[in-house]
Amino acid sequence: MKRLIIVCEGATEQEFCQTVLTPYFYQKDILVETPTIKHSCGGIVAWGTLKKQLVQHLNETDVIVTMLIDFYRIKDSFRFPGWMESKKIGPLQAKTEFLFRQIAMDMQSDLQNRFVPYIQMHEFEGLLFSDISVFKNNFRKGECDFEAIEDAIKGFNTPEEINNGPNTAPSVRLKNAIQGYNKELYGSILADDIGLETIRKRCPLFNQWIERLESALSIG
């Protein structure tokens, strides 16, 4: 059985991968492992630190390695390859393509064909706006401000475009709209309710990541 390692930023992304992505790839005879980033208690770290962990996994035999981290809160000081240059690139598609290319090129050449870089625009929680009807399926009116959920996606072509300001990031919107919002628990429940197929249809950058993983794993 082929192996896919997804290095997750934290417990929220890890739970999503275990709940939604692991069953999908298992049906394709792929074993998925979901370690979180070392040296942090759920959060992004400097590229040099993350790269060491990615290389450790890549040095294992016959494994494809990727990562699920958020664009939101990556600091300039973390020195991700191409980060400063990417600020001048407007469209999300072009920005992510540039970043992924620069990150891949920072790996030694003999590892590049088994490494699939990925950064989620702008946060993992943006994926949860792929089908906002699930909020009414999981929360009562007194528990969730449904109008705030609907307003969050207005003006954006895709959930991935919901911006990453300190007061408007997807996770902040959810925290403000849902009483007692639990990122790890609710994130996986909502994503599972939405379904991977719908998320892929509504989130083109995320869908391209899955397609690149399938290509690297030689499945389709």
Side-chain angles (χ1 to χ4, degrees), residues 49-68:
T49 301
L50 177 56
K51 179 182 177 180
K52 288 180 181 178
Q53 181 176 353
L54 293 168
V55 169
Q56 288 178 348
H57 292 306
L58 285 165
N59 284 331
E60 298 178 33
T61 304
D62 297 331
V63 63
I64 299 297
V65 177
T66 187
M67 66 229 201
L68 181 55

Side-chain angles (χ1 to χ4, degrees), residues 74-122:
I74 294 181
K75 300 178 182 179
D76 296 350
S77 60
F78 288 171
R79 298 184 179 278
F80 273 63
W83 181 257
M84 299 305 294
E85 296 90 334
S86 73
K87 291 176 178 288
K88 302 176 183 178
I89 304 174
L92 288 184
Q93 181 72 41
K95 183 188 291 289
T96 55
E97 287 178 355
F98 175 81
L99 278 172
F100 299 163
R101 184 165 59 251
Q102 296 301 310
I103 290 171
M105 289 173 58
D106 197 57
M107 288 289 182
Q108 60 192 63
S109 58
D110 61 323
L111 299 178
Q112 290 180 12
N113 66 326
R114 293 189 293 107
F115 175 52
V116 181
Y118 184 64
I119 298 174
Q120 180 62 52
M121 289 287 183
H122 283 95

Side-chain angles (χ1 to χ4, degrees), residues 6-15 17 34-45 50 53 66-74 78 80 118-120 122-125 171 183-184:
I6 307 175
V7 177
C8 300
E9 179 174 326
T12 303
E13 292 79 9
Q14 184 183 53
E15 188 67 26
C17 289
T34 59
T36 55
I37 295 177
K38 298 177 181 178
H39 310 294
S40 77
C41 297
I44 192 61
V45 295
L50 177 56
Q53 181 176 353
T66 187
M67 66 229 201
L68 181 55
I69 63 174
D70 293 339
F71 182 87
Y72 184 47
R73 295 194 187 280
I74 294 181
F78 288 171
F80 273 63
Y118 184 64
I119 298 174
Q120 180 62 52
H122 283 95
E123 271 191 301
F124 157 76
E125 283 80 4
S171 61
K183 291 180 61 175
E184 293 83 3

Side-chain angles (χ1 to χ4, degrees), residues 106-148:
D106 197 57
M107 288 289 182
Q108 60 192 63
S109 58
D110 61 323
L111 299 178
Q112 290 180 12
N113 66 326
R114 293 189 293 107
F115 175 52
V116 181
Y118 184 64
I119 298 174
Q120 180 62 52
M121 289 287 183
H122 283 95
E123 271 191 301
F124 157 76
E125 283 80 4
L127 303 177
L128 304 181
F129 290 87
S130 296
D131 180 1
I132 59 175
S133 69
V134 302
F135 290 92
K136 292 185 178 180
N137 296 339
N138 289 276
F139 302 102
R140 294 188 294 270
K141 187 174 182 179
E143 298 173 326
C144 180
D145 184 344
F146 299 119
E147 288 186 5

